[in-house]
Amino acid sequence: MKIRLLAGLLALGLTAMGCGGATVDTATGSAAPEADASASGSSAGTVKIAINPWVGYEASANVVAYLLKNELGYEVELPEIKEQLAWEGFETGDVDVIIENWGHPDLKKQFIEEKKVAVEAGSTGNKGVIGWYIPKWMADEHPGITDWKNLNKHAELFKTSESGGKGQLLFGDPSYVSNEAALIKNLKLDYKIVTGGSEAALIKGAQQAQAQKKPLLFYFWDPHWLFSQTELVRVNLPPYTEGCDADPKKVACDYPEMDLDKIVSKKFADTGGKAYELIKNFSWTNEDQNAVADDMTNNGMSGEEAAKKWIEANPAKWQAWIPK
């Protein structure tokens, strides 16, 4: 998918070394919560956690990376890789961990069931929901606008110079999970997808729509810190039922609530030792993730700084993740 302030794409050509490869160290020398192997200069190994392009994912990755380095003595590599390519990294050895997976049953079938190069590593604890949203002031001024059956009546409100005479549906990074084209076609909506290209574009659009009373219909997701700062209302698409999204071309229903999970390479699961155990044990709430993501986005903190702040404030939570 799933915001996303990180941009760019690392070519999947890194050299595999054990359960990892060359180190990309994002640390700036912050003190570790406890002394460990990293303090003496030795390393327990290297773990490669793919960074998908949205800040919630990055928040989870940075907290796990901080603990791997400062509690267990691992080196951590955080290559920026979009979702599909991250799964391919399990096969090439360039990725050990996807720390936040948004569904992807097709990729699970391909890489877990068929190729057997990846395995599930349990829930992150986060509940993920993708949907279409509008500013709350629009819902207040236009009763019924949050019912998809009324979207065509209000398409004129959402027209932009980029939407070709139709209502605009603003989308984010092209790599995100998306049923939008099928929904517009199958629900016969007079709308056109306009791709903003990033999480940042969606956030900016939502903030401007709020501040300037500018109509906006856009793709977004929860968990996200934006909901604590901008009043948004979800559009009610036809309710999700089991299997209604089985054929991507025939989707005419809303997105389901997802129990977000972790995916790791089979090799890492077999040989990752305490690093693998920590990642399996990692589980927190939407509120936890949003706090770290908010510090990274709005409070001038690096990923490591925000992770350290959360870790220092929540010892009981993360200590339960550390292998005995």
Side-chain angles (χ1 to χ4, degrees):
M1 266 248 332
K2 9 16 236 38
I3 343 325
R4 304 188 177 192
L5 295 177
L6 286 178
L9 173 64
L10 267 186
L12 293 178
L14 304 175
T15 304
M17 297 174 58
C19 69
T23 301
V24 175
D25 188 1
T26 59
T28 57
S30 298
E34 299 176 5
D36 56 26
S38 62
S40 64
S42 61
S43 172
T46 302
V47 180
K48 289 183 277 191
I49 305 174
I51 296 292
N52 290 168
W54 60 94
V55 73
Y57 184 112
E58 189 183 358
S60 295
N62 273 277
V63 167
V64 170
Y66 192 97
L67 293 172
L68 285 170
K69 288 187 286 187
N70 295 310
E71 284 295 309
L72 299 182
Y74 287 83
E75 295 181 18
V76 180
E77 182 179 89
L78 299 172
E80 298 173 17
I81 306 177
K82 295 185 180 181
E83 288 169 278
Q84 173 76 37
L85 292 178
W87 284 78
E88 293 175 10
F90 293 140
E91 190 169 20
T92 63
D94 294 321
V95 171
D96 295 320
V97 181
I98 291 175
I99 202 65
E100 181 178 287
N101 171 59
W102 285 70
H104 293 297
D106 54 334
L107 295 176
K108 285 187 174 182
K109 180 179 180 181
Q110 180 181 359
F111 290 97
I112 295 177
E113 297 177 19
E114 297 174 357
K115 294 188 174 183
K116 302 185 186 304
V117 295
V119 299
E120 296 174 319
S123 171
T124 67
N126 297 127
K127 303 302 180 183
V129 178
I130 300 171
W132 294 3
Y133 292 86
I134 62 173
K136 183 178 182 297
W137 66 262
M138 289 196 73
D140 293 340
E141 291 187 9
H142 303 280
I145 196 173
T146 57
D147 184 338
W148 73 270
K149 295 177 182 177
N150 295 325
L151 283 177
N152 282 347
K153 298 177 185 178
H154 298 285
E156 185 76 25
L157 291 172
F158 298 105
K159 286 183 181 179
T160 70
S161 60
E162 299 177 85
S163 62
K166 297 183 177 184
Q168 172 182 280
L169 171 62
L170 183 64
F171 191 69
D173 190 302
S175 70
Y176 291 171
V177 172
S178 176
N179 295 330
E180 277 53 56
L183 284 166
I184 288 173
K185 178 182 178 181
N186 296 328
L187 297 178
K188 296 179 172 59
L189 298 177
D190 191 24
Y191 285 76
K192 178 182 177 181
I193 300 167
V194 174
T195 302
S198 66
E199 176 185 33
L202 295 174
I203 294 171
K204 182 179 179 180
Q207 291 173 331
Q208 288 181 342
Q210 176 75 14
Q212 302 172 12
K213 289 293 185 77
K214 179 181 178 181
L216 179 69
L217 173 66
F218 70 114
Y219 167 106
F220 210 60
W221 60 93
D222 191 27
H224 202 284
W225 59 263
L226 184 65
F227 288 97
S228 67
Q229 298 188 11
T230 304
E231 291 188 296
L232 303 171
V233 178
R234 189 176 178 186
V235 172
N236 297 311
L237 296 170
Y240 175 85
T241 56
E242 189 69 31
C244 70
D245 56 354
D247 185 341
K249 294 181 180 179
K250 296 181 179 179
V251 176
C253 60
D254 211 340
Y255 290 92
E257 178 179 291
M258 286 180 270
D259 184 16
L260 305 184
D261 61 350
K262 300 154 289 188
I263 309 295
V264 302
S265 74
K266 178 66 165 58
K267 181 179 180 182
F268 180 69
D270 292 341
T271 65
K274 289 186 176 181
Y276 172 59
E277 291 182 51
L278 169 61
I279 286 161
K280 278 188 65 179
N281 293 340
F282 167 69
S283 179
W284 64 351
T285 66
N286 286 14
E287 290 73 24
D288 291 324
Q289 186 186 92
N290 288 342
V292 178
D294 185 35
D295 279 336
M296 292 171 63
T297 306
N298 301 308
N299 296 328
M301 292 187 185
S302 67
E304 185 188 25
E305 290 168 342
K308 183 174 185 290
K309 176 183 174 182
W310 185 89
I311 286 165
E312 289 177 344
N314 296 276
K317 289 187 178 182
W318 65 261
Q319 285 171 1
W321 310 336
I322 303 299
K324 304 301 182 185

